[in-house]
Amino acid sequence: MALGRRVLLLLWLLSPLLRYRIFAVELISTNPNPVVQEFQRAELSCIIATTKTANPRIEWKKIGSKETTYVFFDNKMQGDWANRAQLNSRTSLVISNVTRADKGIYRCEVVAPEDARIGAEININLTVHVKPVPPKCHVPQSVPVGKSATLQCQEKEGFPEPTYNWYRNGEALPLDSKSSSKFQNSSFTVNTKTGTLVFSEVQKGDTGRYSCRAMNAVGDAWCEDSVMEVYDLNIAGIVGGILVVLLVLSLTALGICCAYRKGFFVNNKQDGNSYKTPTKPDGVNYIRTDEEGDFRHKSSFVI
C-alpha cells in the first residue's frame, strides 16, 4: 500500500514535465543526409513527431555560406523550386530533377503556437552526385628514346572527384610498370588522383594509342585515343649535319678573307679633309683660308 502511494506521488511530481513533453513540437528525420544522383528525385525528410497545434506553420530554407534562401514560405514554393518541388506528408520536401546547384544544407522549421515550446527546426544535408564528363587529355605526339614524357588527364565536372586510369591500345596500365612482368621493359607510374602518366625513360615498346578513363560512384567517361610515337635518335646523321654546317661556315669565312686581300671590299670614298682644286677660270685666283675652311676668289683685275 505504501509503495502504491509512492508511485502515485512520483507521477504527480512528473506530470508537469510529461505535459510539457506532449505539448512541445518536435521534429525528426528518417534520412538527415540524403545522397542522390543528378537529374533524379530527392526527398528531404522532415516529420512532426509531437505537436498540439492542428495547423502549424511550416517553412523550408536553404542555408548558404553567404545568404539564406527561402524554398517554401507562406504556404508556397519560392524561386527556382516553384516548378519542381512540393511538400510530401505535410512537411517533407520533395525536389524533382535535382541539379548540382541543389546540393547543400536545408532547414525545416515548424512554428506551433498552441504548444508549450512553439518552435522546432531540423537540418537536412543534401548531396548530389554528378557523373564525369569526357576528360581532357594531353599526349605528346612523338618522344625520342630515353627521354621522359608526361601524359595528362583532367575532368572537373564530376562529384565526388573522379579517379583516373590509363590504357594503351585498349589495355589497362598498372599503377607502376615494375609491378607487372608484362611491362618490365617500361618505366612509368600512374597517379589515379591527378590523372598523370609519367615515363622516366620511354622505350620503343611504349609507342601506341593512349586513352584515359575518369570514374566516380555515379559513372565514367573517356577521352579520345591519342597516338604517342617513340623514335630513335640518328646520332650519325646529327653529327654529319653539324660537320656540314661547320664546313660551310669555314668556307664562307675563308672566301671573305680572300676577298678582303684582293681589295674587293676597299672603300674608295674620300674622307672629309681631302679636296680637289677646282678648275680656275680665266682671270680668277682661288685661295683657301684657315678660318673659313672654304675657297674665296679674288679678281686678277686691278681697278
Side-chain angles (χ1 to χ4, degrees), residues 135 151 153-155 160-167 172-176 189-198 212-216:
L151 285 68
C153 177
Q154 285 190 334
E155 195 280 336
E161 292 185 0
T163 56
Y164 303 92
N165 289 108
W166 277 95
Y167 295 77
L173 297 179
L175 300 185
D176 192 329
T189 56
V190 176
N191 190 321
T192 58
K193 293 184 178 181
T194 62
T196 56
L197 168 59
V198 179
C212 174
R213 178 190 184 194
M215 54 186 174
N216 62 11

Side-chain angles (χ1 to χ4, degrees), residues 17-28 46-59 90-91 108-122:
L17 297 177
L18 294 175
R19 287 196 299 272
Y20 177 80
R21 175 70 175 175
I22 293 174
F23 297 150
V25 61
E26 181 180 359
L27 301 178
I28 61 174
C46 178
I47 301 171
I48 300 177
T50 58
T51 184
K52 181 183 177 181
T53 304
N55 295 303
R57 188 175 80 242
I58 300 166
E59 295 179 0
R90 186 169 70 167
T91 50
C108 174
E109 298 180 358
V110 176
V111 177
E114 299 176 15
D115 287 47
R117 188 181 66 188
I118 65 173
E121 62 183 38
I122 188 171

Side-chain angles (χ1 to χ4, degrees), residues 138 147-153 164-168 172-180 183-203 206 210-212 228:
H138 172 73
K147 296 295 183 180
S148 62
T150 300
L151 285 68
Q152 297 177 334
C153 177
Y164 303 92
N165 289 108
W166 277 95
Y167 295 77
R168 184 174 67 199
L173 297 179
L175 300 185
D176 192 329
S177 59
K178 303 306 179 186
S179 64
S180 173
F183 299 95
Q184 285 294 323
N185 294 328
S186 189
S187 60
F188 64 79
T189 56
V190 176
N191 190 321
T192 58
K193 293 184 178 181
T194 62
T196 56
L197 168 59
V198 179
F199 292 86
S200 58
E201 294 182 2
V202 295
Q203 305 298 326
D206 295 323
Y210 287 83
S211 59
C212 174
M228 183 180 77

Side-chain angles (χ1 to χ4, degrees), residues 105-157:
I105 298 176
Y106 293 77
R107 178 175 295 161
C108 174
E109 298 180 358
V110 176
V111 177
E114 299 176 15
D115 287 47
R117 188 181 66 188
I118 65 173
E121 62 183 38
I122 188 171
N123 288 342
I124 308 297
N125 186 13
L126 174 62
T127 300
V128 179
H129 283 178
V130 181
K131 180 181 178 180
V133 299
K136 294 182 179 180
C137 294
H138 172 73
V139 178
Q141 294 182 351
S142 58
V143 184
V145 171
K147 296 295 183 180
S148 62
T150 300
L151 285 68
Q152 297 177 334
C153 177
Q154 285 190 334
E155 195 280 336
K156 297 183 179 180
E157 298 294 329

Side-chain angles (χ1 to χ4, degrees), residues 1 9 24 65 102-103 112 116 122 134 137 140 165 182 200 217 230 274:
M1 187 72 178
L9 179 61
S65 58
D102 291 326
K103 69 177 180 179
I122 188 171
C137 294
N165 289 108
K182 188 174 182 179
S200 58
V230 181
S274 63

Side-chain angles (χ1 to χ4, degrees), residues 49-302:
T50 58
T51 184
K52 181 183 177 181
T53 304
N55 295 303
R57 188 175 80 242
I58 300 166
E59 295 179 0
W60 276 94
K61 300 174 183 178
K62 185 178 181 184
I63 312 301
S65 58
K66 296 182 180 180
E67 62 179 358
T68 298
T69 306
Y70 277 107
V71 179
F72 182 80
F73 178 73
D74 195 20
N75 291 321
K76 60 183 178 182
M77 294 294 171
Q78 304 293 319
D80 178 58
W81 293 278
N83 298 322
R84 59 189 185 93
Q86 61 184 10
L87 291 187
N88 184 28
S89 300
R90 186 169 70 167
T91 50
S92 294
L93 178 66
V94 176
I95 305 175
S96 301
N97 196 28
V98 171
T99 68
R100 66 195 69 185
D102 291 326
K103 69 177 180 179
I105 298 176
Y106 293 77
R107 178 175 295 161
C108 174
E109 298 180 358
V110 176
V111 177
E114 299 176 15
D115 287 47
R117 188 181 66 188
I118 65 173
E121 62 183 38
I122 188 171
N123 288 342
I124 308 297
N125 186 13
L126 174 62
T127 300
V128 179
H129 283 178
V130 181
K131 180 181 178 180
V133 299
K136 294 182 179 180
C137 294
H138 172 73
V139 178
Q141 294 182 351
S142 58
V143 184
V145 171
K147 296 295 183 180
S148 62
T150 300
L151 285 68
Q152 297 177 334
C153 177
Q154 285 190 334
E155 195 280 336
K156 297 183 179 180
E157 298 294 329
F159 184 85
E161 292 185 0
T163 56
Y164 303 92
N165 289 108
W166 277 95
Y167 295 77
R168 184 174 67 199
N169 300 327
E171 182 179 8
L173 297 179
L175 300 185
D176 192 329
S177 59
K178 303 306 179 186
S179 64
S180 173
S181 59
K182 188 174 182 179
F183 299 95
Q184 285 294 323
N185 294 328
S186 189
S187 60
F188 64 79
T189 56
V190 176
N191 190 321
T192 58
K193 293 184 178 181
T194 62
T196 56
L197 168 59
V198 179
F199 292 86
S200 58
E201 294 182 2
V202 295
Q203 305 298 326
K204 290 288 290 184
D206 295 323
T207 294
R209 300 186 66 87
Y210 287 83
S211 59
C212 174
R213 178 190 184 194
M215 54 186 174
N216 62 11
V218 186
D220 60 0
W222 298 71
C223 68
E224 295 182 359
D225 293 353
S226 298
V227 175
M228 183 180 77
E229 181 181 0
V230 181
Y231 61 91
D232 290 318
L233 284 174
N234 188 353
I235 304 299
I238 295 175
V239 173
I242 294 175
L243 292 177
V244 170
V245 172
L246 293 176
L247 179 60
V248 171
L249 292 176
S250 299
L251 293 175
T252 302
L254 181 60
I256 293 174
C257 291
C258 293
Y260 266 112
R261 291 178 181 178
K262 293 182 179 181
F264 287 103
F265 296 98
V266 175
N267 187 1
N268 294 324
K269 186 177 179 180
Q270 297 176 347
D271 56 26
N273 294 325
S274 63
Y275 64 93
K276 183 179 180 181
T277 303
T279 304
K280 295 186 291 184
D282 294 338
V284 179
N285 291 328
Y286 288 89
I287 57 175
R288 184 181 183 189
T289 62
D290 294 335
E291 294 81 1
E292 297 178 347
D294 199 354
F295 292 101
R296 288 188 178 182
H297 68 274
K298 67 178 182 176
S299 176
S300 59
F301 298 98
V302 179

